[in-house]
Amino acid sequence: AQSVTQLGSHVSVSEGALVLLRCNYSSSVPPYLFWYVQYPNQGLQLLLKYTTGATLVKGINGFEAEFKKSETSFHLTKPSAHMSDAAEYFCAVSDQRAGGTSYGKLTFGQGTILTVHP
Amino acid sequence: NAGVTQTPKFQVLKTGQSMTLQCAQDMNHNSMYWYRQDPGMGLRLIYYSASEGTTDKGEVPNGYNVSRLNKREFSLRLESAAPSQTSVYFCASRRGHEQYFGPGTRLTVT
């Protein structure tokens, strides 16, 4: 079984400040990890993903995340927040079966609402 | 290329009524998914379809049924709606490791 915990349901930053959204996961197999963003009254959009290879992954809109196996973490960062970053962010882990068969089912964290103040 | 589309956008039902949520994708994806989103709980998988002709239960399937009508369409049916099914429902399809989400259906059951 796999699970995702996002620390902090609400995060508030000033425009130009560092954004740090925390995600810890539990998985019995090497995980595929994702961050999605949801703007008000819209569906989810993929920000970035980690599958294999480089543990620091870069995504859209200046976001990046680092996979740390020893800490079972996949925190999302952005050096300088912009007003347009205000949204809800979801961390997710995908099922992956031994032998490579995957149905691509995602388990999501509870979500973190990011507020950006002028 | 519309991506993933869902109808209706909004719906209000009375307890015990039935309805079908429609989802279609034009990206020729094999796998499709239905999730529900509730405040503070993220998205939870209701049902999924790994390919045309197959469906399987996710984390919260009780009270729902699905039909994979063809490769494009994957519908979700509530046979007897309950207030606990008040939620926002998202359909998604998958290519590789990425899922593409529709805009959602906001359902209220009174």
Side-chain angles (χ1 to χ4, degrees), chain B residues 29-65:
Chain B
H29 294 164
N30 287 319
S31 298
M32 297 184 72
Y33 308 82
W34 275 106
Y35 295 90
R36 60 177 289 173
Q37 182 181 22
D38 302 292
M41 301 187 74
L43 280 75
R44 292 178 293 169
L45 182 65
I46 305 171
Y47 270 92
Y48 67 99
S49 172
S51 61
E52 185 179 353
T54 69
T55 61
D56 211 340
K57 296 178 180 178
E59 181 184 354
V60 288
N62 291 346
Y64 305 95
N65 285 300

PDB file of all heavy atoms in Angstrom, chain B residues 29-65:
ATOM      1  N   HIS B  29      -6.011   7.604 -25.539  1.00  0.00           N
ATOM      2  CA  HIS B  29      -5.404   6.958 -24.379  1.00  0.00           C
ATOM      3  C   HIS B  29      -6.137   5.676 -24.029  1.00  0.00           C
ATOM      4  O   HIS B  29      -7.367   5.604 -24.130  1.00  0.00           O
ATOM      5  CB  HIS B  29      -5.420   7.900 -23.173  1.00  0.00           C
ATOM      6  CG  HIS B  29      -4.557   9.101 -23.350  1.00  0.00           C
ATOM      7  ND1 HIS B  29      -4.670  10.220 -22.539  1.00  0.00           N
ATOM      8  CD2 HIS B  29      -3.567   9.377 -24.222  1.00  0.00           C
ATOM      9  CE1 HIS B  29      -3.788  11.120 -22.915  1.00  0.00           C
ATOM     10  NE2 HIS B  29      -3.104  10.631 -23.947  1.00  0.00           N
ATOM     11  N   ASN B  30      -5.380   4.685 -23.555  1.00  0.00           N
ATOM     12  CA  ASN B  30      -6.004   3.425 -23.147  1.00  0.00           C
ATOM     13  C   ASN B  30      -6.625   3.520 -21.751  1.00  0.00           C
ATOM     14  O   ASN B  30      -7.699   3.002 -21.510  1.00  0.00           O
ATOM     15  CB  ASN B  30      -4.971   2.295 -23.161  1.00  0.00           C
ATOM     16  CG  ASN B  30      -4.606   1.870 -24.567  1.00  0.00           C
ATOM     17  OD1 ASN B  30      -5.464   1.779 -25.437  1.00  0.00           O
ATOM     18  ND2 ASN B  30      -3.334   1.606 -24.791  1.00  0.00           N
ATOM     19  N   SER B  31      -5.924   4.159 -20.830  1.00  0.00           N
ATOM     20  CA  SER B  31      -6.353   4.138 -19.423  1.00  0.00           C
ATOM     21  C   SER B  31      -7.145   5.383 -19.074  1.00  0.00           C
ATOM     22  O   SER B  31      -6.777   6.497 -19.453  1.00  0.00           O
ATOM     23  CB  SER B  31      -5.126   4.057 -18.510  1.00  0.00           C
ATOM     24  OG  SER B  31      -4.403   2.867 -18.736  1.00  0.00           O
ATOM     25  N   MET B  32      -8.229   5.154 -18.313  1.00  0.00           N
ATOM     26  CA  MET B  32      -9.068   6.268 -17.848  1.00  0.00           C
ATOM     27  C   MET B  32      -9.447   6.033 -16.389  1.00  0.00           C
ATOM     28  O   MET B  32      -9.469   4.889 -15.918  1.00  0.00           O
ATOM     29  CB  MET B  32     -10.321   6.404 -18.725  1.00  0.00           C
ATOM     30  CG  MET B  32      -9.994   6.739 -20.176  1.00  0.00           C
ATOM     31  SD  MET B  32     -11.448   7.015 -21.200  1.00  0.00           S
ATOM     32  CE  MET B  32     -12.011   8.624 -20.589  1.00  0.00           C
ATOM     33  N   TYR B  33      -9.761   7.131 -15.684  1.00  0.00           N
ATOM     34  CA  TYR B  33      -9.941   7.090 -14.238  1.00  0.00           C
ATOM     35  C   TYR B  33     -11.073   8.019 -13.828  1.00  0.00           C
ATOM     36  O   TYR B  33     -11.288   9.063 -14.447  1.00  0.00           O
ATOM     37  CB  TYR B  33      -8.661   7.558 -13.528  1.00  0.00           C
ATOM     38  CG  TYR B  33      -7.411   6.844 -13.982  1.00  0.00           C
ATOM     39  CD1 TYR B  33      -6.747   7.249 -15.137  1.00  0.00           C
ATOM     40  CD2 TYR B  33      -6.907   5.761 -13.273  1.00  0.00           C
ATOM     41  CE1 TYR B  33      -5.616   6.588 -15.581  1.00  0.00           C
ATOM     42  CE2 TYR B  33      -5.773   5.091 -13.708  1.00  0.00           C
ATOM     43  CZ  TYR B  33      -5.139   5.517 -14.862  1.00  0.00           C
ATOM     44  OH  TYR B  33      -4.013   4.849 -15.298  1.00  0.00           O
ATOM     45  N   TRP B  34     -11.740   7.654 -12.715  1.00  0.00           N
ATOM     46  CA  TRP B  34     -12.679   8.544 -12.055  1.00  0.00           C
ATOM     47  C   TRP B  34     -12.210   8.764 -10.617  1.00  0.00           C
ATOM     48  O   TRP B  34     -11.948   7.811  -9.877  1.00  0.00           O
ATOM     49  CB  TRP B  34     -14.088   7.953 -12.018  1.00  0.00           C
ATOM     50  CG  TRP B  34     -14.885   8.222 -13.253  1.00  0.00           C
ATOM     51  CD1 TRP B  34     -15.194   7.350 -14.248  1.00  0.00           C
ATOM     52  CD2 TRP B  34     -15.489   9.473 -13.619  1.00  0.00           C
ATOM     53  NE1 TRP B  34     -15.947   7.971 -15.224  1.00  0.00           N
ATOM     54  CE2 TRP B  34     -16.144   9.277 -14.854  1.00  0.00           C
ATOM     55  CE3 TRP B  34     -15.558  10.733 -13.017  1.00  0.00           C
ATOM     56  CZ2 TRP B  34     -16.858  10.291 -15.506  1.00  0.00           C
ATOM     57  CZ3 TRP B  34     -16.257  11.732 -13.665  1.00  0.00           C
ATOM     58  CH2 TRP B  34     -16.901  11.508 -14.890  1.00  0.00           C
ATOM     59  N   TYR B  35     -12.126  10.055 -10.240  1.00  0.00           N
ATOM     60  CA  TYR B  35     -11.758  10.450  -8.881  1.00  0.00           C
ATOM     61  C   TYR B  35     -12.870  11.326  -8.302  1.00  0.00           C
ATOM     62  O   TYR B  35     -13.591  11.996  -9.025  1.00  0.00           O
ATOM     63  CB  TYR B  35     -10.486  11.289  -8.877  1.00  0.00           C
ATOM     64  CG  TYR B  35      -9.228  10.596  -9.341  1.00  0.00           C
ATOM     65  CD1 TYR B  35      -8.860  10.621 -10.683  1.00  0.00           C
ATOM     66  CD2 TYR B  35      -8.397   9.944  -8.438  1.00  0.00           C
ATOM     67  CE1 TYR B  35      -7.691   9.998 -11.111  1.00  0.00           C
ATOM     68  CE2 TYR B  35      -7.224   9.321  -8.857  1.00  0.00           C
ATOM     69  CZ  TYR B  35      -6.887   9.353 -10.194  1.00  0.00           C
ATOM     70  OH  TYR B  35      -5.724   8.740 -10.611  1.00  0.00           O
ATOM     71  N   ARG B  36     -12.934  11.349  -6.979  1.00  0.00           N
ATOM     72  CA  ARG B  36     -13.742  12.354  -6.302  1.00  0.00           C
ATOM     73  C   ARG B  36     -12.836  13.192  -5.422  1.00  0.00           C
ATOM     74  O   ARG B  36     -11.844  12.688  -4.868  1.00  0.00           O
ATOM     75  CB  ARG B  36     -14.872  11.737  -5.483  1.00  0.00           C
ATOM     76  CG  ARG B  36     -14.479  10.790  -4.383  1.00  0.00           C
ATOM     77  CD  ARG B  36     -15.704  10.308  -3.605  1.00  0.00           C
ATOM     78  NE  ARG B  36     -16.281  11.369  -2.776  1.00  0.00           N
ATOM     79  CZ  ARG B  36     -17.408  11.275  -2.097  1.00  0.00           C
ATOM     80  NH1 ARG B  36     -18.121  10.157  -2.163  1.00  0.00           N
ATOM     81  NH2 ARG B  36     -17.835  12.275  -1.349  1.00  0.00           N
ATOM     82  N   GLN B  37     -13.153  14.490  -5.326  1.00  0.00           N
ATOM     83  CA  GLN B  37     -12.363  15.420  -4.532  1.00  0.00           C
ATOM     84  C   GLN B  37     -13.223  15.997  -3.430  1.00  0.00           C
ATOM     85  O   GLN B  37     -14.262  16.602  -3.701  1.00  0.00           O
ATOM     86  CB  GLN B  37     -11.790  16.551  -5.390  1.00  0.00           C
ATOM     87  CG  GLN B  37     -10.924  17.518  -4.597  1.00  0.00           C
ATOM     88  CD  GLN B  37     -10.377  18.655  -5.435  1.00  0.00           C
ATOM     89  OE1 GLN B  37     -10.911  18.993  -6.482  1.00  0.00           O
ATOM     90  NE2 GLN B  37      -9.286  19.257  -4.986  1.00  0.00           N
ATOM     91  N   ASP B  38     -12.770  15.826  -2.201  1.00  0.00           N
ATOM     92  CA  ASP B  38     -13.457  16.369  -1.038  1.00  0.00           C
ATOM     93  C   ASP B  38     -12.480  17.215  -0.239  1.00  0.00           C
ATOM     94  O   ASP B  38     -11.290  16.878  -0.168  1.00  0.00           O
ATOM     95  CB  ASP B  38     -14.020  15.234  -0.174  1.00  0.00           C
ATOM     96  CG  ASP B  38     -14.973  14.351  -0.956  1.00  0.00           C
ATOM     97  OD1 ASP B  38     -16.060  14.857  -1.299  1.00  0.00           O
ATOM     98  OD2 ASP B  38     -14.625  13.190  -1.259  1.00  0.00           O
ATOM     99  N   PRO B  39     -12.939  18.289   0.365  1.00  0.00           N
ATOM    100  CA  PRO B  39     -12.032  19.193   1.092  1.00  0.00           C
ATOM    101  C   PRO B  39     -11.188  18.452   2.128  1.00  0.00           C
ATOM    102  O   PRO B  39     -11.699  17.671   2.928  1.00  0.00           O
ATOM    103  CB  PRO B  39     -12.993  20.180   1.761  1.00  0.00           C
ATOM    104  CG  PRO B  39     -14.202  20.167   0.891  1.00  0.00           C
ATOM    105  CD  PRO B  39     -14.331  18.769   0.392  1.00  0.00           C
ATOM    106  N   GLY B  40      -9.885  18.709   2.098  1.00  0.00           N
ATOM    107  CA  GLY B  40      -8.989  18.121   3.080  1.00  0.00           C
ATOM    108  C   GLY B  40      -8.657  16.662   2.855  1.00  0.00           C
ATOM    109  O   GLY B  40      -7.951  16.050   3.662  1.00  0.00           O
ATOM    110  N   MET B  41      -9.175  16.090   1.754  1.00  0.00           N
ATOM    111  CA  MET B  41      -8.935  14.657   1.516  1.00  0.00           C
ATOM    112  C   MET B  41      -8.251  14.398   0.184  1.00  0.00           C
ATOM    113  O   MET B  41      -8.065  13.243  -0.205  1.00  0.00           O
ATOM    114  CB  MET B  41     -10.261  13.893   1.586  1.00  0.00           C
ATOM    115  CG  MET B  41     -10.968  14.051   2.912  1.00  0.00           C
ATOM    116  SD  MET B  41     -12.405  13.012   3.079  1.00  0.00           S
ATOM    117  CE  MET B  41     -11.636  11.425   3.332  1.00  0.00           C
ATOM    118  N   GLY B  42      -7.898  15.428  -0.516  1.00  0.00           N
ATOM    119  CA  GLY B  42      -7.272  15.229  -1.811  1.00  0.00           C
ATOM    120  C   GLY B  42      -8.235  14.582  -2.792  1.00  0.00           C
ATOM    121  O   GLY B  42      -9.459  14.731  -2.679  1.00  0.00           O
ATOM    122  N   LEU B  43      -7.696  13.856  -3.752  1.00  0.00           N
ATOM    123  CA  LEU B  43      -8.513  13.119  -4.709  1.00  0.00           C
ATOM    124  C   LEU B  43      -8.418  11.637  -4.375  1.00  0.00           C
ATOM    125  O   LEU B  43      -7.335  11.128  -4.067  1.00  0.00           O
ATOM    126  CB  LEU B  43      -8.023  13.336  -6.145  1.00  0.00           C
ATOM    127  CG  LEU B  43      -8.454  14.630  -6.824  1.00  0.00           C
ATOM    128  CD1 LEU B  43      -7.682  15.822  -6.302  1.00  0.00           C
ATOM    129  CD2 LEU B  43      -8.314  14.504  -8.335  1.00  0.00           C
ATOM    130  N   ARG B  44      -9.540  10.955  -4.461  1.00  0.00           N
ATOM    131  CA  ARG B  44      -9.566   9.522  -4.199  1.00  0.00           C
ATOM    132  C   ARG B  44     -10.128   8.794  -5.410  1.00  0.00           C
ATOM    133  O   ARG B  44     -11.130   9.221  -5.991  1.00  0.00           O
ATOM    134  CB  ARG B  44     -10.406   9.219  -2.953  1.00  0.00           C
ATOM    135  CG  ARG B  44      -9.782   9.731  -1.661  1.00  0.00           C
ATOM    136  CD  ARG B  44     -10.685   9.456  -0.465  1.00  0.00           C
ATOM    137  NE  ARG B  44     -11.908  10.238  -0.524  1.00  0.00           N
ATOM    138  CZ  ARG B  44     -12.968  10.050   0.255  1.00  0.00           C
ATOM    139  NH1 ARG B  44     -12.954   9.058   1.154  1.00  0.00           N
ATOM    140  NH2 ARG B  44     -14.031  10.816   0.148  1.00  0.00           N
ATOM    141  N   LEU B  45      -9.489   7.684  -5.746  1.00  0.00           N
ATOM    142  CA  LEU B  45      -9.854   6.942  -6.947  1.00  0.00           C
ATOM    143  C   LEU B  45     -11.124   6.141  -6.709  1.00  0.00           C
ATOM    144  O   LEU B  45     -11.212   5.361  -5.750  1.00  0.00           O
ATOM    145  CB  LEU B  45      -8.699   6.016  -7.337  1.00  0.00           C
ATOM    146  CG  LEU B  45      -8.885   5.201  -8.605  1.00  0.00           C
ATOM    147  CD1 LEU B  45      -8.965   6.111  -9.832  1.00  0.00           C
ATOM    148  CD2 LEU B  45      -7.736   4.205  -8.759  1.00  0.00           C
ATOM    149  N   ILE B  46     -12.090   6.292  -7.610  1.00  0.00           N
ATOM    150  CA  ILE B  46     -13.351   5.555  -7.496  1.00  0.00           C
ATOM    151  C   ILE B  46     -13.273   4.270  -8.323  1.00  0.00           C
ATOM    152  O   ILE B  46     -13.454   3.159  -7.808  1.00  0.00           O
ATOM    153  CB  ILE B  46     -14.536   6.415  -7.984  1.00  0.00           C
ATOM    154  CG1 ILE B  46     -14.576   7.753  -7.239  1.00  0.00           C
ATOM    155  CG2 ILE B  46     -15.856   5.665  -7.770  1.00  0.00           C
ATOM    156  CD1 ILE B  46     -15.599   8.737  -7.820  1.00  0.00           C
ATOM    157  N   TYR B  47     -13.037   4.420  -9.599  1.00  0.00           N
ATOM    158  CA  TYR B  47     -12.891   3.310 -10.534  1.00  0.00           C
ATOM    159  C   TYR B  47     -11.855   3.689 -11.581  1.00  0.00           C
ATOM    160  O   TYR B  47     -11.605   4.863 -11.832  1.00  0.00           O
ATOM    161  CB  TYR B  47     -14.218   3.018 -11.261  1.00  0.00           C
ATOM    162  CG  TYR B  47     -15.129   2.027 -10.592  1.00  0.00           C
ATOM    163  CD1 TYR B  47     -16.117   2.466  -9.706  1.00  0.00           C
ATOM    164  CD2 TYR B  47     -15.023   0.668 -10.860  1.00  0.00           C
ATOM    165  CE1 TYR B  47     -16.978   1.553  -9.095  1.00  0.00           C
ATOM    166  CE2 TYR B  47     -15.878  -0.252 -10.247  1.00  0.00           C
ATOM    167  CZ  TYR B  47     -16.844   0.203  -9.376  1.00  0.00           C
ATOM    168  OH  TYR B  47     -17.705  -0.694  -8.779  1.00  0.00           O
ATOM    169  N   TYR B  48     -11.303   2.681 -12.219  1.00  0.00           N
ATOM    170  CA  TYR B  48     -10.427   2.943 -13.343  1.00  0.00           C
ATOM    171  C   TYR B  48     -10.649   1.883 -14.417  1.00  0.00           C
ATOM    172  O   TYR B  48     -11.227   0.832 -14.167  1.00  0.00           O
ATOM    173  CB  TYR B  48      -8.958   3.003 -12.913  1.00  0.00           C
ATOM    174  CG  TYR B  48      -8.369   1.694 -12.440  1.00  0.00           C
ATOM    175  CD1 TYR B  48      -7.591   0.897 -13.280  1.00  0.00           C
ATOM    176  CD2 TYR B  48      -8.558   1.276 -11.128  1.00  0.00           C
ATOM    177  CE1 TYR B  48      -7.044  -0.290 -12.832  1.00  0.00           C
ATOM    178  CE2 TYR B  48      -8.025   0.086 -10.669  1.00  0.00           C
ATOM    179  CZ  TYR B  48      -7.259  -0.692 -11.524  1.00  0.00           C
ATOM    180  OH  TYR B  48      -6.732  -1.874 -11.078  1.00  0.00           O
ATOM    181  N   SER B  49     -10.152   2.227 -15.606  1.00  0.00           N
ATOM    182  CA  SER B  49     -10.240   1.323 -16.742  1.00  0.00           C
ATOM    183  C   SER B  49      -8.872   1.308 -17.414  1.00  0.00           C
ATOM    184  O   SER B  49      -8.445   2.308 -17.975  1.00  0.00           O
ATOM    185  CB  SER B  49     -11.304   1.811 -17.728  1.00  0.00           C
ATOM    186  OG  SER B  49     -11.267   1.061 -18.914  1.00  0.00           O
ATOM    187  N   ALA B  50      -8.191   0.174 -17.323  1.00  0.00           N
ATOM    188  CA  ALA B  50      -6.844   0.084 -17.874  1.00  0.00           C
ATOM    189  C   ALA B  50      -6.864   0.053 -19.403  1.00  0.00           C
ATOM    190  O   ALA B  50      -5.893   0.451 -20.052  1.00  0.00           O
ATOM    191  CB  ALA B  50      -6.126  -1.144 -17.334  1.00  0.00           C
ATOM    192  N   SER B  51      -7.945  -0.439 -19.961  1.00  0.00           N
ATOM    193  CA  SER B  51      -8.078  -0.470 -21.419  1.00  0.00           C
ATOM    194  C   SER B  51      -9.552  -0.657 -21.753  1.00  0.00           C
ATOM    195  O   SER B  51     -10.365  -0.972 -20.881  1.00  0.00           O
ATOM    196  CB  SER B  51      -7.248  -1.599 -22.017  1.00  0.00           C
ATOM    197  OG  SER B  51      -7.695  -2.846 -21.522  1.00  0.00           O
ATOM    198  N   GLU B  52      -9.872  -0.467 -23.010  1.00  0.00           N
ATOM    199  CA  GLU B  52     -11.252  -0.640 -23.464  1.00  0.00           C
ATOM    200  C   GLU B  52     -11.730  -2.043 -23.093  1.00  0.00           C
ATOM    201  O   GLU B  52     -11.033  -3.032 -23.319  1.00  0.00           O
ATOM    202  CB  GLU B  52     -11.316  -0.435 -24.971  1.00  0.00           C
ATOM    203  CG  GLU B  52     -12.700  -0.469 -25.542  1.00  0.00           C
ATOM    204  CD  GLU B  52     -12.702  -0.234 -27.047  1.00  0.00           C
ATOM    205  OE1 GLU B  52     -11.624   0.076 -27.608  1.00  0.00           O
ATOM    206  OE2 GLU B  52     -13.771  -0.373 -27.666  1.00  0.00           O
ATOM    207  N   GLY B  53     -12.905  -2.117 -22.479  1.00  0.00           N
ATOM    208  CA  GLY B  53     -13.479  -3.401 -22.120  1.00  0.00           C
ATOM    209  C   GLY B  53     -13.151  -3.879 -20.732  1.00  0.00           C
ATOM    210  O   GLY B  53     -13.666  -4.920 -20.296  1.00  0.00           O
ATOM    211  N   THR B  54     -12.310  -3.152 -20.009  1.00  0.00           N
ATOM    212  CA  THR B  54     -11.966  -3.546 -18.639  1.00  0.00           C
ATOM    213  C   THR B  54     -12.221  -2.394 -17.676  1.00  0.00           C
ATOM    214  O   THR B  54     -11.972  -1.228 -18.012  1.00  0.00           O
ATOM    215  CB  THR B  54     -10.491  -3.967 -18.511  1.00  0.00           C
ATOM    216  OG1 THR B  54      -9.659  -2.818 -18.682  1.00  0.00           O
ATOM    217  CG2 THR B  54     -10.120  -5.002 -19.545  1.00  0.00           C
ATOM    218  N   THR B  55     -12.721  -2.750 -16.483  1.00  0.00           N
ATOM    219  CA  THR B  55     -12.868  -1.766 -15.420  1.00  0.00           C
ATOM    220  C   THR B  55     -12.510  -2.432 -14.098  1.00  0.00           C
ATOM    221  O   THR B  55     -12.608  -3.666 -13.972  1.00  0.00           O
ATOM    222  CB  THR B  55     -14.295  -1.195 -15.325  1.00  0.00           C
ATOM    223  OG1 THR B  55     -15.211  -2.267 -15.034  1.00  0.00           O
ATOM    224  CG2 THR B  55     -14.710  -0.521 -16.625  1.00  0.00           C
ATOM    225  N   ASP B  56     -12.108  -1.634 -13.119  1.00  0.00           N
ATOM    226  CA  ASP B  56     -11.764  -2.194 -11.824  1.00  0.00           C
ATOM    227  C   ASP B  56     -11.987  -1.143 -10.747  1.00  0.00           C
ATOM    228  O   ASP B  56     -11.974   0.064 -11.022  1.00  0.00           O
ATOM    229  CB  ASP B  56     -10.319  -2.669 -11.798  1.00  0.00           C
ATOM    230  CG  ASP B  56     -10.132  -3.853 -10.866  1.00  0.00           C
ATOM    231  OD1 ASP B  56     -10.996  -4.071  -9.979  1.00  0.00           O
ATOM    232  OD2 ASP B  56      -9.123  -4.558 -11.012  1.00  0.00           O
ATOM    233  N   LYS B  57     -12.184  -1.641  -9.525  1.00  0.00           N
ATOM    234  CA  LYS B  57     -12.473  -0.757  -8.406  1.00  0.00           C
ATOM    235  C   LYS B  57     -11.223  -0.053  -7.920  1.00  0.00           C
ATOM    236  O   LYS B  57     -10.128  -0.602  -7.929  1.00  0.00           O
ATOM    237  CB  LYS B  57     -13.078  -1.561  -7.252  1.00  0.00           C
ATOM    238  CG  LYS B  57     -14.419  -2.192  -7.575  1.00  0.00           C
ATOM    239  CD  LYS B  57     -14.933  -3.019  -6.414  1.00  0.00           C
ATOM    240  CE  LYS B  57     -16.279  -3.648  -6.752  1.00  0.00           C
ATOM    241  NZ  LYS B  57     -16.786  -4.491  -5.644  1.00  0.00           N
ATOM    242  N   GLY B  58     -11.450   1.181  -7.458  1.00  0.00           N
ATOM    243  CA  GLY B  58     -10.394   1.916  -6.806  1.00  0.00           C
ATOM    244  C   GLY B  58     -10.575   1.909  -5.307  1.00  0.00           C
ATOM    245  O   GLY B  58     -11.044   0.922  -4.727  1.00  0.00           O
ATOM    246  N   GLU B  59     -10.266   3.033  -4.686  1.00  0.00           N
ATOM    247  CA  GLU B  59     -10.278   3.130  -3.229  1.00  0.00           C
ATOM    248  C   GLU B  59     -11.683   3.268  -2.656  1.00  0.00           C
ATOM    249  O   GLU B  59     -11.979   2.753  -1.575  1.00  0.00           O
ATOM    250  CB  GLU B  59      -9.439   4.344  -2.829  1.00  0.00           C
ATOM    251  CG  GLU B  59      -9.317   4.595  -1.342  1.00  0.00           C
ATOM    252  CD  GLU B  59      -8.552   5.883  -1.041  1.00  0.00           C
ATOM    253  OE1 GLU B  59      -8.022   6.511  -1.985  1.00  0.00           O
ATOM    254  OE2 GLU B  59      -8.504   6.269   0.146  1.00  0.00           O
ATOM    255  N   VAL B  60     -12.580   3.975  -3.365  1.00  0.00           N
ATOM    256  CA  VAL B  60     -13.912   4.272  -2.821  1.00  0.00           C
ATOM    257  C   VAL B  60     -15.014   3.958  -3.833  1.00  0.00           C
ATOM    258  O   VAL B  60     -15.739   4.838  -4.291  1.00  0.00           O
ATOM    259  CB  VAL B  60     -13.997   5.757  -2.373  1.00  0.00           C
ATOM    260  CG1 VAL B  60     -13.188   5.990  -1.120  1.00  0.00           C
ATOM    261  CG2 VAL B  60     -13.544   6.697  -3.491  1.00  0.00           C
ATOM    262  N   PRO B  61     -15.227   2.689  -4.212  1.00  0.00           N
ATOM    263  CA  PRO B  61     -16.183   2.356  -5.279  1.00  0.00           C
ATOM    264  C   PRO B  61     -17.640   2.228  -4.841  1.00  0.00           C
ATOM    265  O   PRO B  61     -18.529   2.224  -5.696  1.00  0.00           O
ATOM    266  CB  PRO B  61     -15.667   0.997  -5.748  1.00  0.00           C
ATOM    267  CG  PRO B  61     -15.099   0.382  -4.502  1.00  0.00           C
ATOM    268  CD  PRO B  61     -14.478   1.529  -3.734  1.00  0.00           C
ATOM    269  N   ASN B  62     -17.889   2.140  -3.534  1.00  0.00           N
ATOM    270  CA  ASN B  62     -19.254   1.842  -3.086  1.00  0.00           C
ATOM    271  C   ASN B  62     -20.220   2.945  -3.487  1.00  0.00           C
ATOM    272  O   ASN B  62     -19.982   4.132  -3.261  1.00  0.00           O
ATOM    273  CB  ASN B  62     -19.278   1.654  -1.570  1.00  0.00           C
ATOM    274  CG  ASN B  62     -18.575   0.395  -1.145  1.00  0.00           C
ATOM    275  OD1 ASN B  62     -18.299  -0.476  -1.967  1.00  0.00           O
ATOM    276  ND2 ASN B  62     -18.260   0.293   0.131  1.00  0.00           N
ATOM    277  N   GLY B  63     -21.356   2.522  -4.084  1.00  0.00           N
ATOM    278  CA  GLY B  63     -22.382   3.466  -4.507  1.00  0.00           C
ATOM    279  C   GLY B  63     -22.230   3.937  -5.941  1.00  0.00           C
ATOM    280  O   GLY B  63     -23.041   4.739  -6.415  1.00  0.00           O
ATOM    281  N   TYR B  64     -21.222   3.432  -6.630  1.00  0.00           N
ATOM    282  CA  TYR B  64     -20.940   3.848  -8.006  1.00  0.00           C
ATOM    283  C   TYR B  64     -20.821   2.637  -8.931  1.00  0.00           C
ATOM    284  O   TYR B  64     -20.450   1.553  -8.499  1.00  0.00           O
ATOM    285  CB  TYR B  64     -19.626   4.626  -8.087  1.00  0.00           C
ATOM    286  CG  TYR B  64     -19.526   5.818  -7.184  1.00  0.00           C
ATOM    287  CD1 TYR B  64     -18.910   5.707  -5.934  1.00  0.00           C
ATOM    288  CD2 TYR B  64     -20.019   7.060  -7.567  1.00  0.00           C
ATOM    289  CE1 TYR B  64     -18.812   6.800  -5.090  1.00  0.00           C
ATOM    290  CE2 TYR B  64     -19.913   8.157  -6.727  1.00  0.00           C
ATOM    291  CZ  TYR B  64     -19.308   8.014  -5.494  1.00  0.00           C
ATOM    292  OH  TYR B  64     -19.215   9.099  -4.659  1.00  0.00           O
ATOM    293  N   ASN B  65     -21.127   2.868 -10.195  1.00  0.00           N
ATOM    294  CA  ASN B  65     -20.827   1.910 -11.255  1.00  0.00           C
ATOM    295  C   ASN B  65     -20.227   2.659 -12.432  1.00  0.00           C
ATOM    296  O   ASN B  65     -20.443   3.865 -12.573  1.00  0.00           O
ATOM    297  CB  ASN B  65     -22.089   1.171 -11.714  1.00  0.00           C
ATOM    298  CG  ASN B  65     -22.526   0.127 -10.706  1.00  0.00           C
ATOM    299  OD1 ASN B  65     -21.795  -0.789 -10.402  1.00  0.00           O
ATOM    300  ND2 ASN B  65     -23.727   0.303 -10.160  1.00  0.00           N
TER     301      ASN B  65
END
